[in-house]
Amino acid sequence: MQKFGRQSAAAQRAAERREREDAAPRLVQEVPDLTSLRLEIEETNEAAAGASAPKYVRRVVIGSAPALFLIQCGDPGCTDGGHDVTRPIMEALRSHRTIFTGSDECRGSIGPASCTRVLRFEGTAEYAARS
Ligand SMILES: [Zn+2]
């Protein structure tokens, strides 16, 4: 069971993330008039110029989603990395912005080196019309 330690560490991180998500307030409580949220996420590696992971879209399920945005680092060799973009996203949603962008550098490490991945996101949000 040579792989066990590594897998359980990953499983533990996943469990911790779920715990944080469960403990976080719901998105619908924080931004009650939010009706849709879509995040386009792109990760680039500053060290390897030009190399970037394909963009992907995360559609947030309003109603059950936590007001917490933790995105895993796309590098499988990265430890303790990842992106917590909760603050910029919640600030944008609270101020009812319909399009917003931001970025976050990974603070993890790959072996003895630090991870150089940078996450960029573009959010598109819709809000219920105020009556
Ligand atoms: Zn990383």
Side-chain angles (χ1 to χ4, degrees), residues 73-75 78-79 81-83 106-110 115-117:
C73 180
D75 193 318
C78 179
T79 44
H83 308 277
C106 183
R107 287 171 197 84
S109 50
I110 297 171
C115 183
T116 55
R117 289 209 177 211

Side-chain angles (χ1 to χ4, degrees), residues 11 13-15 21-22 54 70-71 89 129:
R13 277 199 296 276
E21 286 178 351
D22 287 346
L70 303 175
I71 294 157
I89 290 177

Side-chain angles (χ1 to χ4, degrees), residues 99-126:
I99 294 175
F100 50 92
T101 56
S103 64
D104 185 70
E105 281 174 43
C106 183
R107 287 171 197 84
S109 50
I110 297 171
S114 53
C115 183
T116 55
R117 289 209 177 211
V118 178
L119 175 125
R120 291 178 216 285
F121 64 85
E122 184 179 315
T124 312
E126 285 170 23

Side-chain angles (χ1 to χ4, degrees), residues 49-64:
S52 76
K55 272 192 190 182
Y56 67 94
V57 173
R58 177 185 283 205
R59 205 169 262 287
V60 178
V61 182
I62 313 292
S64 61

